[in-house]
Amino acid sequence: MLKRYLNLKRGNARQIFFTYMAVIAAYVILQLMITAGVLSSLMRSMLVPICAYMVMAISLNLVVGVLGELSLGHAGFMSIGAFSGVSAAIILQGVLPYAPLRLAAAIIIGALFAAVAGFLIGIPVLRLKGDYLAIVTLAFGEIIKNIFNNFYMGIDSEGISMSMLTDKTRLLEGGRLIIAGPMGIGGIQKLSTFTAGFILTMVALVIVFNLVNSRSGRAFMAIRDDRIAAESVGMNITRYKMMAFVTSAALAGAAGCLFAMNYSTIVANKFDFNTSILVLVFVVLGGQGNMLGSIIAAAALTILPEKLRQFADYRMLLYAVVLIAVMLCKNNESVGEFVRRFAPRFLRSGRKEGKENG
Amino acid sequence: MTFLNFVISGLSLGSVYAIIALGYTMVYGIAKMLNFAHGDVIMVGAYICFYSVSRFHLPPIVGVILAMIVCTMLGIIVERLAYKPLRRAPSLAVLITAIGVSYFLQNSALLLWTSNPKMFPSVVTKGSLKLFSGQLSVSYVTIVTIVTCIVIMICLTWFTGRTRMGKAMRACSEDKGAAQLMGINVNATISLTFAIGSGLAAIAGVLLCSSYPTLMPTTGSMPGIKAFTAAVFGGIGSIPGALLGGLMLGVIEIFAKAYISTQLSDAVVFAVLIIVLLVKPAGLLGIEMQEKV
């Protein structure tokens, strides 16, 4: 692994190294703050969701930033990961009594289910291009939400039974209804911890960085930059697109499982179009293809609405204004120039860099 | 007769989708952007009409016209402030800005009008037309919705086909650079497109809430997504496509509700969209562009 980094262009290797270091440093500092008791309980409760969103942002950045296709249904994969992972955790309760191991198993199962879904959805989706691809991912996201809202699954001594639309599981005495349609899954053991979130973020980073800096990763970027040229030199476009899409879906599933295991109940409506959009905002704001940017944006934009709480009703309005303003500053010469004139010196170079990435 | 009833209510819902989809499709055609804030313009239009009718006791038609004026202004202002500076920006940046505008409109509505659902008074007199000796009853709202949709379609077809401005619009959507060389004011044409789309959204909002009378700040988002689907379904960028897509989507949705399942109707609608796009990747009436290498 080390050799691969040494072979890279220096700037790229440094950036990857810096990203790992930043995540580790953030983890260590936050852990110290928790032990010292300086972190407010509100912030502590947000650590796991932030980690989950970071993994989501990394995952979506692989599709949007590196592969160059727009996905508007990533919350669907998150949903599949959440429901299958949490169900697995409940079923495995007797088999794996050690909580961290059960969490790991749940996350892996969630990722696997999401990967399979990503593969099945990828077959039709990846034949399309541009905005049409985007709308079909949106459609799949909505379909997944709709199905989970009408899905019932229970377990009893005879095994697992499931049904659609109405609860026809007819569980025996002592059985347990795991997924209850629109009520989702209730009574989840909160297995997710900040450490688990940190490990998952690191794993996601390792997977994505290694993929991006491999032969396949260079193929992704070639396809993004010029599909026809890539095809003309004999690249199997569908295969590479599928590889990126399935990896991304698996990571999203893992993130969904981590996210769900942080709450006592989870419903399908939590993973709707707005969630997909939220993650897309992280990616675009952080800079397409820039993983550190995605991570920072995910953390900042999850904390921002909470920090704006003092403005009460105005906070989401402010959020919207900030979003529009940042987009205008980043992408419009005159607006950007105007803002830069008033910005402190240390921000100036940073903004220019952001513009290149966006 | 129940079958015919479903067809008619499907057409009515589809007409609303078609009117919204027109806004999406025209804006996409000319600005090549997915205007996700369009659904929220519908909601604003419905609220304006609601307040002018129930609070200020204006006649419904005045309410509709007021809603159209406000939404048209809103469309022009949003385009000028948020989208115009991003004319040369990457399309994802424009998309995120549109989402920002959507959040902005929804939350402004939340502050101005609170989240309490309002009962929208129908702008059309209650009652229904009885046909076949009372076996088939069609409410006046349904008739007005379908007729409005047809009238709008005829006007738009005439406008884009015959008038100077309409031709300018088509020219811009085909090639902005060439249109500018021919002396067309591209910026003004894009503003006009947003104005027309938003004005239509106001009508759609009023019609939507006349049939489904709960009005909330989030009322516009789901019909917005559905109408966007309808626009893609018919081939985004094509005006007849928006009509066809909207009507078909409405009928499919009502049929799915009636014959398959109420809860799964959205899934059915989106599944049909996926199948159509797989067979015709540019939508039903969309023209597939050959890529030049």
Side-chain angles (χ1 to χ4, degrees):
Chain A
M1 205 165 97
L2 201 68
K3 199 179 152 205
R4 177 173 281 167
Y5 290 138
L6 294 176
N7 280 340
L8 285 171
K9 278 184 306 185
R10 256 188 96 199
N12 204 354
R14 198 185 293 149
Q15 198 191 354
I16 292 172
F17 180 72
F18 186 65
T19 308
Y20 284 135
M21 283 302 127
V23 174
I24 294 171
Y27 172 72
V28 171
I29 292 170
L30 284 168
Q31 276 296 355
L32 286 176
M33 282 172 83
I34 293 171
T35 353
V38 241
L39 212 60
S40 68
S41 62
L42 175 71
M43 285 298 291
R44 267 208 309 279
S45 71
M46 281 168 61
L47 289 174
V48 175
I50 288 176
C51 288
Y53 282 133
M54 281 177 176
V55 178
M56 279 302 286
I58 294 168
S59 136
L60 188 64
N61 207 339
L62 182 63
V63 172
V64 175
V66 181
L67 187 67
E69 295 289 5
L70 179 59
S71 166
L72 294 175
H74 240 56
F77 298 124
M78 204 181 173
S79 180
I80 290 176
F83 277 87
S84 55
V86 172
S87 306
I90 292 172
I91 294 168
L92 290 174
Q93 215 152 359
V95 191
L96 290 172
Y98 183 53
L101 197 63
R102 197 157 76 239
L103 177 67
I107 287 178
I108 291 169
I109 290 172
L112 279 178
F113 269 87
V116 171
F119 179 73
L120 293 177
I121 291 172
I123 295 170
V125 164
L126 296 177
R127 293 178 41 175
L128 300 166
K129 273 179 283 195
D131 293 327
Y132 290 94
L133 191 147
I135 183 86
V136 170
T137 53
L138 188 162
F140 270 113
E142 289 295 313
I143 291 175
I144 292 170
K145 184 184 88 182
N146 219 302
I147 287 176
F148 273 123
N149 259 331
N150 293 290
F151 185 69
Y152 295 82
M153 189 176 90
I155 181 166
D156 56 17
S157 49
E158 286 189 345
I160 300 166
S161 48
M162 35 192 135
S163 71
M164 284 296 290
L165 287 176
T166 50
D167 186 7
K168 293 190 279 279
T169 45
R170 277 192 292 274
L171 297 171
L172 301 171
E173 193 76 28
R176 177 175 177 187
L177 189 64
I178 298 174
I179 303 177
M183 310 291 289
I185 306 182
I188 305 172
Q189 278 186 312
K190 293 188 193 173
L191 295 178
S192 292
T193 56
F194 179 41
T195 307
F198 163 72
I199 294 171
L200 187 63
T201 312
M202 286 302 281
V203 168
L205 279 177
V206 170
I207 292 175
V208 169
F209 277 142
N210 276 295
L211 188 61
V212 169
N213 292 311
S214 67
R215 188 188 167 85
S216 313
R218 286 186 292 276
F220 297 162
M221 285 179 271
I223 294 168
R224 172 193 68 191
D225 294 338
D226 194 330
R227 192 182 54 81
I228 296 170
E231 213 167 1
S232 72
V233 292
M235 282 183 188
N236 187 343
I237 304 273
T238 320
R239 189 177 142 243
Y240 285 119
K241 276 189 176 178
M242 189 61 102
M243 195 189 278
F245 202 67
V246 170
T247 312
S248 172
L251 289 177
C257 184
L258 179 81
F259 184 83
M261 297 287 252
N262 188 45
Y263 298 96
S264 53
T265 44
I266 199 84
V267 292
N269 282 347
K270 182 78 194 77
F271 307 106
D272 59 355
F273 178 60
N274 290 329
T275 311
S276 302
I277 291 298
L278 189 71
V279 179
L280 184 65
V281 170
F282 298 156
V283 172
V284 176
L285 225 52
Q288 285 153 259
N290 185 337
M291 297 302 156
L292 184 61
S294 288
I295 290 176
I296 294 172
L301 287 186
T302 318
I303 298 170
L304 181 70
E306 296 301 324
K307 286 286 164 198
L308 288 176
R309 243 178 226 293
Q310 50 176 319
F311 300 102
D313 298 338
Y314 293 92
R315 70 190 180 107
M316 284 315 284
L317 201 64
L318 274 173
Y319 180 87
V321 172
V322 168
L323 196 62
I324 299 172
V326 171
M327 280 296 134
L328 290 185
C329 293
K330 263 177 81 171
N331 294 293
N332 187 284
E333 294 277 312
S334 48
V335 178
E337 200 57 49
F338 179 75
V339 173
R340 227 167 285 137
R341 203 174 297 160
F342 297 98
R345 186 173 289 272
F346 68 94
L347 275 177
R348 286 181 200 176
S349 57
R351 278 197 190 282
K352 275 203 187 105
E353 205 176 87
K355 205 164 78 187
E356 277 164 15
N357 292 325
Chain B
M1 276 312 138
T2 45
F3 176 78
L4 211 58
N5 251 328
F6 289 142
V7 173
I8 290 169
S9 49
L11 285 178
S12 159
L13 180 64
S15 302
V16 177
Y17 287 156
I19 300 173
I20 308 171
L22 280 173
Y24 271 113
T25 234
M26 285 166 68
V27 165
Y28 184 88
I30 199 158
K32 295 284 174 284
M33 67 167 285
L34 304 175
N35 183 13
F36 270 113
H38 196 65
D40 301 294
V41 179
I42 303 168
M43 173 270 301
V44 172
Y47 267 108
I48 301 290
C49 186
F50 171 80
Y51 274 100
S52 44
V53 172
S54 66
R55 189 68 53 85
F56 300 107
H57 303 290
L58 297 169
I61 185 72
V62 180
V64 175
I65 291 170
L66 258 176
M68 280 179 73
I69 293 171
V70 172
C71 284
T72 308
M73 301 292 285
L74 186 69
I76 294 173
I77 293 169
V78 164
E79 198 272 335
R80 180 70 193 79
L81 290 182
Y83 302 148
K84 197 181 167 197
L86 297 176
R87 201 67 37 91
R88 277 191 224 107
S91 64
L92 253 183
V94 190
L95 182 77
I96 300 292
T97 310
I99 288 160
V101 172
S102 161
Y103 284 166
F104 182 82
L105 291 180
Q106 269 184 34
N107 288 291
S108 313
L110 202 64
L111 284 179
L112 281 174
W113 302 310
T114 73
S115 58
N116 294 345
K118 306 263 189 302
M119 281 309 284
F120 193 88
S122 180
V123 288
V124 188
T125 40
K126 291 254 161 55
S128 52
L129 190 69
K130 300 258 188 297
L131 293 170
F132 305 113
S133 60
Q135 276 181 306
L136 182 71
S137 79
V138 186
S139 68
Y140 290 124
V141 184
T142 309
I143 299 172
V144 170
T145 307
I146 296 173
V147 169
T148 313
C149 176
I150 295 170
V151 170
I152 288 174
M153 272 312 295
I154 294 172
C155 290
L156 265 188
T157 313
W158 168 79
F159 177 77
T160 51
R162 297 295 159 108
T163 61
R164 271 180 83 86
M165 287 180 136
K167 284 177 186 166
M169 213 180 256
R170 282 193 297 149
C172 283
S173 65
E174 226 158 81
D175 190 332
K176 280 200 204 61
Q180 197 151 24
L181 288 177
M182 293 300 123
I184 293 170
N185 186 341
V186 175
N187 278 330
T189 314
I190 294 180
S191 284
L192 177 74
T193 314
F194 270 90
I196 295 176
S198 306
L200 292 180
I203 302 179
V206 172
L207 291 174
L208 181 76
C209 289
S210 297
S211 308
Y212 303 88
T214 340
L215 180 57
M216 283 187 292
T218 50
T219 294
S221 48
M222 201 55 200
I225 294 178
K226 292 266 186 63
F228 172 44
T229 311
V232 177
F233 198 81
I236 196 156
S238 142
I239 290 177
L243 176 74
L244 184 69
L247 291 181
M248 281 188 64
L249 205 75
V251 173
I252 292 169
E253 187 177 333
I254 296 289
F255 272 29
K257 272 189 180 141
Y259 294 111
I260 302 174
S261 143
T262 325
Q263 292 110 302
L264 282 181
S265 65
D266 285 353
V268 174
V269 167
F270 287 116
V272 172
L273 168 84
I274 292 167
I275 294 166
V276 167
L277 282 189
L278 287 181
V279 181
K280 284 197 69 103
L284 289 174
L285 298 184
I287 304 149
E288 233 182 304
M289 295 293 239
Q290 277 300 326
E291 274 175 282
K292 286 186 193 125
V293 184

